[in-house]
Amino acid sequence: MTRLVLLGPPGAGKGTQAKLLSDRLGVPAISTGDIFRANVAEGTDLGRTVQEYLNAGKYVPDAVTNQMVRERLAQPDAAEGFILDGYPRTTDQVRELDDMLADVGAKLEHVLEIAADTDELVRRLAKRAVEQGRSDDTEEVIRTRQQVYAEQTAPLVEVYSDRGLLRSVDGLGDIPEVTSRLVSALGLQTA
């Protein structure tokens, strides 16, 4: 069983690595960003609310995100484990996740931080915006998201480090290199 959180600033490669680790570990990768974008694309009420926050480079309110994650973790494919990408983002969300897991008699096992230079992340996200046509990835919004991460999410590094769960890996390099570092940080054999 693997219950894992991936931390890292926007553009660090969490989504890519979550999918690769999901395949390797046999547990679902759960991305709040993907769930948000699906709701935006479908034009749901949640999607319209989310779009306003994304366009401003801000986080979606905890109440909305917490409920969405709680519902997703209750699905059968997450019973044996999961990889969370994009959640938790605040210390309040850490407490909420602790409560969600306690409700089912489970606990978080690993937290991996993907660390990367801010200027490199801005370059990555600007390139992704062009390739994917993402309106939430203008340079101004990207820099705002980096600042919000530093203020709200970076403190989670300390919380999980204090719990002895955190392993930090260098997120710069090609995708297989970073994957190999993450697999090693989990104590698994690299392929």
Side-chain angles (χ1 to χ4, degrees), residues 112-131:
L112 297 178
E113 176 194 27
I114 303 174
D117 175 72
T118 299
D119 289 334
E120 174 61 25
L121 297 177
V122 171
R123 281 190 290 277
R124 282 185 190 179
L125 291 172
K127 180 180 176 188
R128 182 177 78 181
V130 171
E131 291 171 351

Side-chain angles (χ1 to χ4, degrees), residues 18-190:
K19 288 178 180 126
L20 293 169
L21 289 172
S22 170
D23 290 342
R24 179 162 183 142
L25 298 170
V27 297
I30 300 171
S31 164
T32 53
D34 286 350
I35 296 169
F36 289 156
R37 282 186 287 279
N39 277 276
V40 169
E42 294 167 12
T44 66
D45 289 341
L46 173 62
R48 285 188 288 280
T49 300
V50 164
Q51 188 66 56
E52 292 175 21
Y53 288 96
L54 293 179
N55 285 344
K58 296 180 180 176
Y59 286 159
V60 176
D62 282 356
V64 173
T65 305
N66 291 339
Q67 184 59 36
M68 181 188 66
V69 171
R70 183 176 289 278
E71 290 172 8
R72 180 60 184 93
L73 291 181
Q75 294 179 10
D77 68 333
E80 296 300 315
F82 53 80
I83 299 169
L84 285 174
D85 159 20
Y87 186 91
R89 290 193 173 185
T90 65
T91 54
D92 286 342
Q93 288 180 355
V94 168
R95 286 188 289 278
E96 185 70 21
L97 178 59
D98 289 345
D99 290 345
M100 287 179 210
L101 294 174
D103 287 349
V104 296
K107 65 179 183 163
L108 197 60
E109 296 158 341
H110 303 282
V111 178
L112 297 178
E113 176 194 27
I114 303 174
D117 175 72
T118 299
D119 289 334
E120 174 61 25
L121 297 177
V122 171
R123 281 190 290 277
R124 282 185 190 179
L125 291 172
K127 180 180 176 188
R128 182 177 78 181
V130 171
E131 291 171 351
Q132 298 180 7
R134 290 177 56 163
S135 64
D136 61 324
D137 282 343
T138 66
E139 183 168 345
E140 181 181 344
V141 168
I142 291 167
R143 292 206 180 269
T144 298
R145 289 168 60 204
Q146 298 296 328
Q147 183 62 37
V148 170
Y149 174 82
E151 293 168 1
Q152 294 183 15
T153 307
L156 276 57
V157 170
E158 184 177 342
V159 168
Y160 286 127
S161 180
D162 289 348
R163 293 183 183 184
L165 295 174
L166 182 78
R167 302 289 177 269
S168 185
V169 300
D170 181 359
L172 297 181
D174 65 23
I175 292 169
E177 284 178 293
V178 177
T179 304
S180 179
R181 291 179 201 136
L182 292 167
V183 167
S184 292
L186 289 171
L188 303 173
Q189 296 293 321
T190 56

